[in-house]
Amino acid sequence: MSSYQVTENALQNKVILITGAGDGIGKTAALEFARHGAEVILLGRTVKKLEAVYDQIVAEGGKEPAIVPLDLEGATPNHYQQLAQTIKEQFGQLDGLLHNAGVLGNLRPFSQIPEQEWQQVMQVNLNSEFFMTQALLPVLKLAPAASVVFTSSGVGRKGRAYWGAYAISKFATEGMMQVLADEYSGSSIRFNCINPGATRTSMRARAYPGENPMQLKTPEEIMPVYLYLMSDNSLKVNGQSLDAQPK
Ligand code: NDP
């Protein structure tokens, strides 16, 4: 983990958008990026949660964040084009994009996944990443070195019974990252995945209701790899899927 250490000002002058920034890992990433000097754009569906993160960043003396209320389930390509336009006008460029928002759906046999649940998981975990990345590429290109980080999972690398739509969406996320990394190799934009590993959040508690959460790493403890991939320390890292909790 020590190789992921970054300096206090590692994200100075960087503009970073975080999806699902109101809770769990995304919230902690937003706070940590701001603590390391970044100007953060908080995107999520529950405005109250985003406002609480905003207030905490301002109270800690961080740069004033921006809030983008957006439900990824209903968002269309047009919403992402508008987002890109707003970022261009207000910030001039985008240095970092953390695709973090995600939903679990329900763990159940493959044969019993309802259409609506399949569509919802794919819409939030995969389609939003595709349309958002496509729309934001022009503003990412305006940064001297931009980092796009996707959030994977152990079940996005090896399939597991009953993890159906969620696992499949994470495999596709890994695939999208690889396609982009290859296509933009040698450019100013790099693309990588992080597998957070078991982390103490409400999503993990839903997936493993019988587990003692106190035995899990906290979002704070898995932050080094997030900071590393957003910082210029990782300029040469492209097309990798990194573990936030290496074994
Ligand atoms: P949480 O459920 O704690 O947080 C998920 C975040 O995504 C919330 O801020 C939530 O917003 C947001 N979100 C969900 N649906 C939408 C939507 N339709 N539109 C906008 N935002 C939405 O989960 P984690 O922090 O645990 O997960 C973060 C990422 O890490 C996910 O991609 C997850 O798959 C991945 N992951 C997590 C692991 C873990 O052990 N925790 C392990 C492996 C991967 P709101 O709060 O408003 O609902």
Coordinates of all heavy atoms in Angstrom, one line a residue, residues 134-209:
Q134 N -18.2 9.4 -22.6 CA -18.3 9.9 -24.0 C -18.4 11.4 -24.0 O -17.8 12.1 -24.8 CB -19.4 9.2 -24.7 CG -19.3 9.2 -26.2 CD -20.4 8.4 -26.9 OE1 -21.6 8.6 -26.5 NE2 -20.1 7.5 -27.8
A135 N -19.4 11.9 -23.2 CA -19.6 13.3 -23.2 C -18.5 14.1 -22.7 O -18.2 15.3 -23.1 CB -20.9 13.6 -22.4
L136 N -17.8 13.6 -21.7 CA -16.7 14.3 -21.0 C -15.4 14.2 -21.6 O -14.5 15.0 -21.2 CB -16.7 13.9 -19.5 CG -17.9 14.2 -18.6 CD1 -17.7 13.7 -17.2 CD2 -18.2 15.7 -18.7
L137 N -15.2 13.4 -22.6 CA -13.9 13.2 -23.2 C -13.3 14.6 -23.7 O -12.1 14.9 -23.5 CB -13.9 12.2 -24.4 CG -13.8 10.7 -24.0 CD1 -14.2 9.8 -25.1 CD2 -12.5 10.4 -23.4
P138 N -14.1 15.4 -24.4 CA -13.6 16.7 -24.8 C -13.1 17.6 -23.7 O -12.0 18.3 -23.9 CB -14.8 17.4 -25.5 CG -15.7 16.3 -25.9 CD -15.5 15.2 -24.8
V139 N -13.7 17.6 -22.5 CA -13.2 18.4 -21.4 C -12.0 17.7 -20.7 O -11.2 18.4 -20.1 CB -14.3 18.8 -20.4 CG1 -15.1 20.0 -20.8 CG2 -15.2 17.7 -20.0
L140 N -12.0 16.4 -20.7 CA -10.8 15.7 -20.2 C -9.6 16.0 -21.0 O -8.5 16.1 -20.5 CB -11.1 14.2 -20.1 CG -12.1 13.7 -19.1 CD1 -12.7 12.3 -19.4 CD2 -11.5 13.7 -17.7
K141 N -9.8 16.1 -22.3 CA -8.7 16.4 -23.3 C -8.1 17.8 -23.0 O -7.0 18.0 -23.4 CB -9.2 16.4 -24.7 CG -9.1 15.0 -25.3 CD -9.4 15.1 -26.8 CE -9.7 13.7 -27.3 NZ -10.7 13.7 -28.4
L142 N -8.9 18.7 -22.4 CA -8.4 20.1 -22.2 C -7.4 20.1 -21.0 O -6.8 21.1 -20.8 CB -9.6 21.0 -21.9 CG -10.5 21.2 -23.1 CD1 -11.7 22.0 -22.8 CD2 -9.8 21.9 -24.3
A143 N -7.4 19.0 -20.2 CA -6.5 19.0 -19.0 C -5.1 18.5 -19.5 O -5.0 17.7 -20.5 CB -7.0 18.0 -18.0
P144 N -4.0 19.0 -18.9 CA -2.7 18.5 -19.3 C -2.5 17.0 -19.2 O -1.9 16.3 -20.0 CB -1.7 19.3 -18.5 CG -2.5 20.0 -17.5 CD -4.0 20.0 -17.9
A145 N -3.1 16.4 -18.1 CA -3.1 15.0 -17.9 C -4.3 14.6 -17.1 O -4.5 15.0 -16.0 CB -1.8 14.6 -17.1
A146 N -5.2 13.8 -17.7 CA -6.5 13.5 -17.1 C -6.5 12.0 -16.7 O -5.9 11.2 -17.4 CB -7.6 13.8 -18.0
S147 N -7.2 11.8 -15.6 CA -7.3 10.4 -15.1 C -8.8 10.0 -14.9 O -9.5 10.7 -14.2 CB -6.6 10.3 -13.7 OG -6.8 9.0 -13.1
V148 N -9.1 8.9 -15.6 CA -10.5 8.4 -15.4 C -10.4 7.1 -14.7 O -9.7 6.2 -15.1 CB -11.2 8.2 -16.8 CG1 -12.6 7.6 -16.6 CG2 -11.2 9.5 -17.6
V149 N -11.1 7.0 -13.6 CA -11.1 5.8 -12.7 C -12.5 5.2 -12.6 O -13.4 5.9 -12.3 CB -10.6 6.2 -11.3 CG1 -10.6 5.0 -10.4 CG2 -9.2 6.8 -11.4
F150 N -12.5 4.0 -13.0 CA -13.8 3.2 -12.9 C -13.8 2.4 -11.6 O -12.7 2.0 -11.1 CB -14.0 2.3 -14.1 CG -14.2 3.0 -15.4 CD1 -13.1 3.3 -16.2 CD2 -15.4 3.3 -15.8 CE1 -13.3 4.0 -17.4 CE2 -15.6 3.9 -17.1 CZ -14.6 4.2 -17.8
T151 N -14.9 2.0 -11.1 CA -15.0 1.2 -9.9 C -15.5 -0.2 -10.2 O -16.6 -0.4 -10.7 CB -15.9 1.8 -8.8 OG1 -15.5 3.1 -8.6 CG2 -15.8 1.0 -7.5
S152 N -14.6 -1.2 -10.0 CA -14.9 -2.6 -10.3 C -15.3 -3.3 -9.0 O -15.7 -2.7 -8.0 CB -13.6 -3.1 -11.0 OG -13.9 -4.5 -11.3
S153 N -15.0 -4.6 -9.1 CA -15.4 -5.4 -7.9 C -14.7 -6.8 -8.1 O -14.4 -7.1 -9.3 CB -16.9 -5.6 -7.9 OG -17.2 -6.7 -7.0
G154 N -14.5 -7.5 -7.0 CA -14.0 -8.9 -7.2 C -14.9 -9.7 -8.2 O -14.4 -10.5 -8.9
V155 N -16.2 -9.5 -8.1 CA -17.1 -10.3 -9.0 C -17.2 -9.7 -10.4 O -17.9 -10.2 -11.2 CB -18.5 -10.4 -8.4 CG1 -18.5 -11.1 -7.1 CG2 -19.2 -9.0 -8.2
G156 N -16.4 -8.7 -10.6 CA -16.2 -8.1 -12.0 C -15.0 -8.7 -12.7 O -14.7 -8.4 -13.8
R157 N -14.3 -9.6 -12.0 CA -13.1 -10.3 -12.5 C -13.3 -11.8 -12.5 O -12.7 -12.5 -13.3 CB -11.9 -10.0 -11.7 CG -11.5 -8.5 -11.7 CD -10.3 -8.3 -10.8 NE -9.9 -6.9 -10.7 CZ -9.1 -6.5 -9.7 NH1 -8.7 -7.3 -8.8 NH2 -8.8 -5.3 -9.6
K158 N -14.1 -12.3 -11.6 CA -14.4 -13.7 -11.6 C -15.9 -13.8 -11.2 O -16.3 -13.3 -10.1 CB -13.6 -14.4 -10.5 CG -13.7 -15.9 -10.6 CD -12.7 -16.7 -9.7 CE -12.7 -18.2 -10.0 NZ -13.9 -18.8 -10.3
G159 N -16.7 -14.4 -12.1 CA -18.1 -14.5 -11.9 C -18.4 -15.3 -10.6 O -17.7 -16.2 -10.2
R160 N -19.5 -15.0 -10.0 CA -20.0 -15.7 -8.8 C -21.5 -15.9 -8.8 O -22.2 -15.0 -9.1 CB -19.5 -14.9 -7.5 CG -19.6 -15.8 -6.2 CD -19.2 -15.0 -5.0 NE -17.9 -14.3 -5.1 CZ -17.6 -13.2 -4.4 NH1 -18.5 -12.7 -3.5 NH2 -16.5 -12.6 -4.5
A161 N -21.9 -17.1 -8.4 CA -23.3 -17.4 -8.4 C -24.1 -16.4 -7.7 O -23.7 -15.9 -6.6 CB -23.5 -18.8 -7.7
Y162 N -25.3 -16.0 -8.2 CA -26.3 -15.1 -7.6 C -25.9 -13.6 -7.7 O -26.7 -12.8 -7.2 CB -26.6 -15.5 -6.1 CG -26.9 -17.0 -6.0 CD1 -26.1 -17.8 -5.2 CD2 -27.9 -17.6 -6.7 CE1 -26.3 -19.2 -5.1 CE2 -28.2 -19.0 -6.6 CZ -27.4 -19.7 -5.8 OH -27.6 -21.1 -5.8
W163 N -24.7 -13.3 -8.2 CA -24.3 -11.9 -8.3 C -24.7 -11.3 -9.6 O -24.4 -10.2 -9.9 CB -22.9 -11.7 -8.0 CG -22.6 -11.8 -6.5 CD1 -22.6 -12.9 -5.7 CD2 -22.3 -10.7 -5.6 NE1 -22.3 -12.6 -4.4 CE2 -22.1 -11.3 -4.3 CE3 -22.1 -9.4 -5.8 CZ2 -21.8 -10.5 -3.2 CZ3 -21.8 -8.6 -4.7 CH2 -21.7 -9.1 -3.4
G164 N -25.4 -12.1 -10.5 CA -26.0 -11.7 -11.8 C -25.7 -10.4 -12.3 O -24.6 -10.1 -12.8
A165 N -26.7 -9.5 -12.4 CA -26.6 -8.2 -13.1 C -25.4 -7.4 -12.5 O -24.7 -6.8 -13.3 CB -27.9 -7.4 -12.9
Y166 N -25.2 -7.4 -11.2 CA -24.2 -6.5 -10.6 C -22.8 -7.0 -11.2 O -22.0 -6.2 -11.6 CB -24.2 -6.6 -9.1 CG -23.1 -5.9 -8.4 CD1 -23.3 -4.5 -8.1 CD2 -22.0 -6.5 -8.0 CE1 -22.3 -3.8 -7.5 CE2 -21.0 -5.9 -7.3 CZ -21.1 -4.5 -7.0 OH -20.1 -3.8 -6.4
A167 N -22.6 -8.3 -11.1 CA -21.3 -8.9 -11.5 C -21.0 -8.6 -13.0 O -20.0 -8.2 -13.4 CB -21.2 -10.4 -11.2
I168 N -22.1 -8.8 -13.8 CA -22.0 -8.6 -15.2 C -21.7 -7.1 -15.5 O -20.9 -6.8 -16.4 CB -23.2 -9.1 -15.9 CG1 -23.3 -10.7 -15.7 CG2 -23.2 -8.8 -17.4 CD1 -24.7 -11.3 -16.0
S169 N -22.3 -6.2 -14.8 CA -22.1 -4.8 -15.0 C -20.6 -4.4 -14.7 O -20.0 -3.6 -15.4 CB -23.0 -3.9 -14.2 OG -22.7 -3.9 -12.8
K170 N -20.0 -5.1 -13.7 CA -18.6 -4.8 -13.3 C -17.7 -5.4 -14.3 O -16.6 -4.8 -14.6 CB -18.4 -5.3 -11.9 CG -19.2 -4.6 -10.8 CD -18.9 -3.1 -10.8 CE -19.5 -2.4 -9.6 NZ -19.3 -1.0 -9.6
F171 N -18.0 -6.6 -14.9 CA -17.1 -7.1 -16.0 C -17.1 -6.2 -17.1 O -16.1 -5.9 -17.8 CB -17.7 -8.5 -16.5 CG -17.1 -9.7 -15.8 CD1 -17.6 -10.2 -14.7 CD2 -16.0 -10.3 -16.4 CE1 -17.1 -11.3 -14.1 CE2 -15.4 -11.4 -15.8 CZ -16.0 -12.0 -14.6
A172 N -18.3 -5.6 -17.5 CA -18.4 -4.7 -18.6 C -17.7 -3.4 -18.3 O -17.1 -2.8 -19.2 CB -19.9 -4.4 -18.9
T173 N -17.7 -3.0 -17.0 CA -16.9 -1.8 -16.6 C -15.4 -2.0 -16.9 O -14.7 -1.2 -17.4 CB -17.2 -1.5 -15.2 OG1 -18.6 -1.1 -15.1 CG2 -16.3 -0.4 -14.6
E174 N -14.9 -3.2 -16.5 CA -13.5 -3.5 -16.7 C -13.2 -3.5 -18.2 O -12.2 -3.0 -18.6 CB -13.2 -4.9 -16.2 CG -13.2 -5.1 -14.6 CD -11.9 -4.9 -14.0 OE1 -10.9 -4.7 -14.6 OE2 -11.9 -5.0 -12.7
G175 N -14.2 -4.0 -19.0 CA -14.0 -4.0 -20.4 C -14.0 -2.6 -21.0 O -13.1 -2.3 -21.9
M176 N -14.9 -1.8 -20.6 CA -14.9 -0.4 -21.1 C -13.5 0.3 -20.8 O -13.0 1.0 -21.6 CB -16.0 0.4 -20.5 CG -16.2 1.8 -21.0 SD -17.8 2.5 -20.8 CE -18.5 1.7 -19.4
M177 N -13.1 0.1 -19.6 CA -11.8 0.7 -19.2 C -10.7 0.2 -20.1 O -9.9 1.0 -20.6 CB -11.5 0.3 -17.7 CG -10.2 0.8 -17.2 SD -8.8 -0.2 -17.6 CE -8.9 -1.6 -16.6
Q178 N -10.7 -1.1 -20.4 CA -9.6 -1.6 -21.3 C -9.7 -1.1 -22.7 O -8.7 -0.7 -23.3 CB -9.6 -3.1 -21.3 CG -9.2 -3.7 -20.0 CD -9.1 -5.3 -20.0 OE1 -9.1 -5.9 -21.1 NE2 -9.1 -5.9 -18.8
V179 N -10.9 -1.0 -23.2 CA -11.1 -0.5 -24.6 C -10.6 1.0 -24.6 O -9.8 1.4 -25.5 CB -12.6 -0.5 -25.0 CG1 -12.8 0.3 -26.3 CG2 -13.0 -2.0 -25.2
L180 N -11.0 1.8 -23.7 CA -10.6 3.2 -23.6 C -9.1 3.3 -23.4 O -8.4 4.2 -24.1 CB -11.3 3.9 -22.5 CG -12.8 4.3 -22.8 CD1 -13.5 4.5 -21.5 CD2 -12.9 5.5 -23.7
A181 N -8.5 2.6 -22.5 CA -7.1 2.7 -22.3 C -6.3 2.4 -23.5 O -5.3 3.0 -23.8 CB -6.7 1.7 -21.1
D182 N -6.7 1.4 -24.3 CA -6.0 1.0 -25.5 C -6.2 2.1 -26.6 O -5.2 2.5 -27.2 CB -6.5 -0.3 -26.0 CG -5.6 -0.9 -27.1 OD1 -4.4 -0.8 -26.9 OD2 -6.1 -1.5 -28.1
E183 N -7.4 2.6 -26.7 CA -7.7 3.6 -27.7 C -7.0 4.9 -27.5 O -6.6 5.6 -28.4 CB -9.2 3.8 -27.7 CG -9.8 4.3 -29.0 CD -11.3 4.1 -29.1 OE1 -11.8 3.0 -28.8 OE2 -12.0 5.1 -29.4
Y184 N -6.9 5.3 -26.2 CA -6.3 6.6 -25.8 C -4.8 6.4 -25.4 O -4.2 7.3 -24.8 CB -7.1 7.3 -24.8 CG -8.3 7.9 -25.4 CD1 -9.5 7.1 -25.6 CD2 -8.4 9.2 -25.8 CE1 -10.6 7.6 -26.2 CE2 -9.5 9.7 -26.4 CZ -10.6 8.9 -26.6 OH -11.7 9.4 -27.2
S185 N -4.2 5.2 -25.6 CA -2.9 5.0 -25.1 C -1.9 6.0 -25.8 O -2.1 6.3 -27.0 CB -2.5 3.5 -25.5 OG -1.3 3.5 -26.0
G186 N -1.1 6.6 -25.1 CA -0.2 7.6 -25.6 C -0.8 9.0 -25.6 O -0.1 10.0 -26.0
S187 N -2.0 9.1 -25.2 CA -2.7 10.5 -25.2 C -2.5 11.0 -23.8 O -1.9 10.5 -22.9 CB -4.1 10.3 -25.5 OG -4.9 9.9 -24.4
S188 N -3.2 12.2 -23.5 CA -3.1 12.8 -22.2 C -4.1 12.2 -21.2 O -4.2 12.6 -20.1 CB -3.3 14.3 -22.3 OG -4.6 14.5 -23.0
I189 N -4.9 11.3 -21.7 CA -6.0 10.7 -20.8 C -5.6 9.3 -20.5 O -5.3 8.5 -21.4 CB -7.4 10.8 -21.4 CG1 -7.6 12.1 -22.0 CG2 -8.4 10.5 -20.3 CD1 -9.0 12.3 -22.7
R190 N -5.7 8.9 -19.2 CA -5.5 7.5 -18.8 C -6.7 6.9 -18.1 O -7.5 7.7 -17.5 CB -4.2 7.4 -17.9 CG -4.3 8.1 -16.6 CD -2.9 8.3 -16.0 NE -2.9 8.8 -14.6 CZ -3.0 10.1 -14.3 NH1 -3.1 11.0 -15.2 NH2 -3.0 10.4 -13.0
F191 N -6.9 5.6 -18.2 CA -8.1 5.0 -17.7 C -7.7 3.7 -16.9 O -6.9 2.9 -17.4 CB -8.9 4.5 -18.9 CG -9.4 5.6 -19.8 CD1 -8.6 6.0 -20.9 CD2 -10.6 6.2 -19.7 CE1 -9.0 7.1 -21.7 CE2 -11.0 7.3 -20.5 CZ -10.2 7.7 -21.5
N192 N -8.2 3.7 -15.7 CA -7.9 2.5 -14.8 C -9.1 2.2 -14.0 O -10.1 3.0 -13.9 CB -6.7 2.9 -13.9 CG -5.4 3.1 -14.7 OD1 -4.8 2.2 -15.2 ND2 -5.1 4.4 -14.9
C193 N -9.1 1.0 -13.4 CA -10.1 0.5 -12.5 C -9.6 0.4 -11.1 O -8.4 0.1 -10.9 CB -10.6 -0.9 -12.9 SG -11.9 -1.0 -14.1
I194 N -10.4 0.6 -10.1 CA -10.1 0.2 -8.7 C -11.1 -0.9 -8.3 O -12.3 -0.7 -8.4 CB -10.2 1.4 -7.8 CG1 -9.1 2.4 -8.1 CG2 -10.0 0.9 -6.3 CD1 -9.1 3.7 -7.3
N195 N -10.6 -1.9 -7.7 CA -11.5 -2.9 -7.0 C -11.4 -2.5 -5.5 O -10.3 -2.8 -4.9 CB -11.1 -4.3 -7.2 CG -11.8 -5.3 -6.2 OD1 -12.8 -5.0 -5.7 ND2 -11.1 -6.4 -6.0
P196 N -12.4 -1.9 -4.9 CA -12.3 -1.5 -3.5 C -12.0 -2.6 -2.5 O -11.4 -2.4 -1.5 CB -13.6 -0.8 -3.2 CG -14.3 -0.6 -4.5 CD -13.8 -1.6 -5.4
G197 N -12.5 -3.8 -2.8 CA -12.5 -4.9 -1.8 C -13.5 -4.6 -0.7 O -14.2 -3.6 -0.7
A198 N -13.7 -5.6 0.1 CA -14.8 -5.5 1.2 C -14.6 -4.2 2.0 O -13.6 -4.0 2.7 CB -14.7 -6.7 2.1
T199 N -15.5 -3.3 1.9 CA -15.4 -2.0 2.6 C -16.7 -1.7 3.3 O -17.8 -2.0 2.9 CB -15.2 -0.9 1.5 OG1 -14.1 -1.3 0.7 CG2 -14.8 0.4 2.2
R200 N -16.6 -1.0 4.5 CA -17.7 -0.8 5.4 C -18.6 0.3 4.9 O -18.4 1.5 5.2 CB -17.1 -0.4 6.8 CG -18.2 -0.5 7.9 CD -17.6 0.1 9.2 NE -16.3 -0.5 9.6 CZ -15.5 0.0 10.5 NH1 -15.9 1.1 11.1 NH2 -14.4 -0.5 10.8
T201 N -19.6 -0.1 4.1 CA -20.6 0.9 3.6 C -22.0 0.2 3.6 O -22.1 -1.0 3.9 CB -20.3 1.2 2.1 OG1 -20.5 0.1 1.3 CG2 -18.9 1.7 1.9
S202 N -23.0 1.0 3.3 CA -24.3 0.4 3.3 C -24.5 -0.6 2.2 O -25.3 -1.6 2.3 CB -25.4 1.5 3.2 OG -25.2 2.4 2.1
M203 N -23.8 -0.4 1.0 CA -23.9 -1.5 0.0 C -23.4 -2.8 0.5 O -24.0 -3.9 0.3 CB -23.2 -1.1 -1.3 CG -23.4 -2.1 -2.4 SD -22.4 -1.9 -3.8 CE -23.3 -0.5 -4.7
R204 N -22.3 -2.8 1.1 CA -21.7 -4.0 1.6 C -22.6 -4.7 2.7 O -22.8 -5.9 2.7 CB -20.3 -3.7 2.2 CG -19.6 -4.9 2.9 CD -19.0 -5.9 1.9 NE -18.6 -7.1 2.6 CZ -17.9 -8.1 2.0 NH1 -17.6 -8.0 0.7 NH2 -17.6 -9.2 2.7
A205 N -23.2 -3.8 3.5 CA -24.1 -4.4 4.6 C -25.3 -5.0 3.9 O -25.8 -6.0 4.5 CB -24.5 -3.2 5.5
R206 N -25.8 -4.5 2.8 CA -26.9 -5.1 2.1 C -26.5 -6.5 1.5 O -27.3 -7.4 1.5 CB -27.4 -4.2 1.0 CG -28.4 -3.2 1.4 CD -29.2 -2.7 0.2 NE -30.0 -3.7 -0.4 CZ -30.1 -3.8 -1.8 NH1 -29.6 -2.9 -2.6 NH2 -30.8 -4.8 -2.3
A207 N -25.3 -6.5 1.0 CA -24.8 -7.8 0.3 C -24.5 -8.8 1.4 O -24.7 -10.0 1.1 CB -23.6 -7.5 -0.5
Y208 N -24.0 -8.4 2.5 CA -23.6 -9.4 3.6 C -24.2 -9.0 4.9 O -23.5 -8.5 5.8 CB -22.1 -9.4 3.7 CG -21.4 -9.9 2.5 CD1 -21.0 -9.0 1.5 CD2 -21.0 -11.3 2.4 CE1 -20.4 -9.5 0.3 CE2 -20.4 -11.7 1.2 CZ -20.1 -10.9 0.2 OH -19.4 -11.3 -0.9
P209 N -25.6 -9.2 5.1 CA -26.3 -8.7 6.3 C -25.8 -9.3 7.6 O -25.9 -8.8 8.6 CB -27.7 -9.0 6.0 CG -27.8 -9.9 4.8 CD -26.5 -9.7 4.1

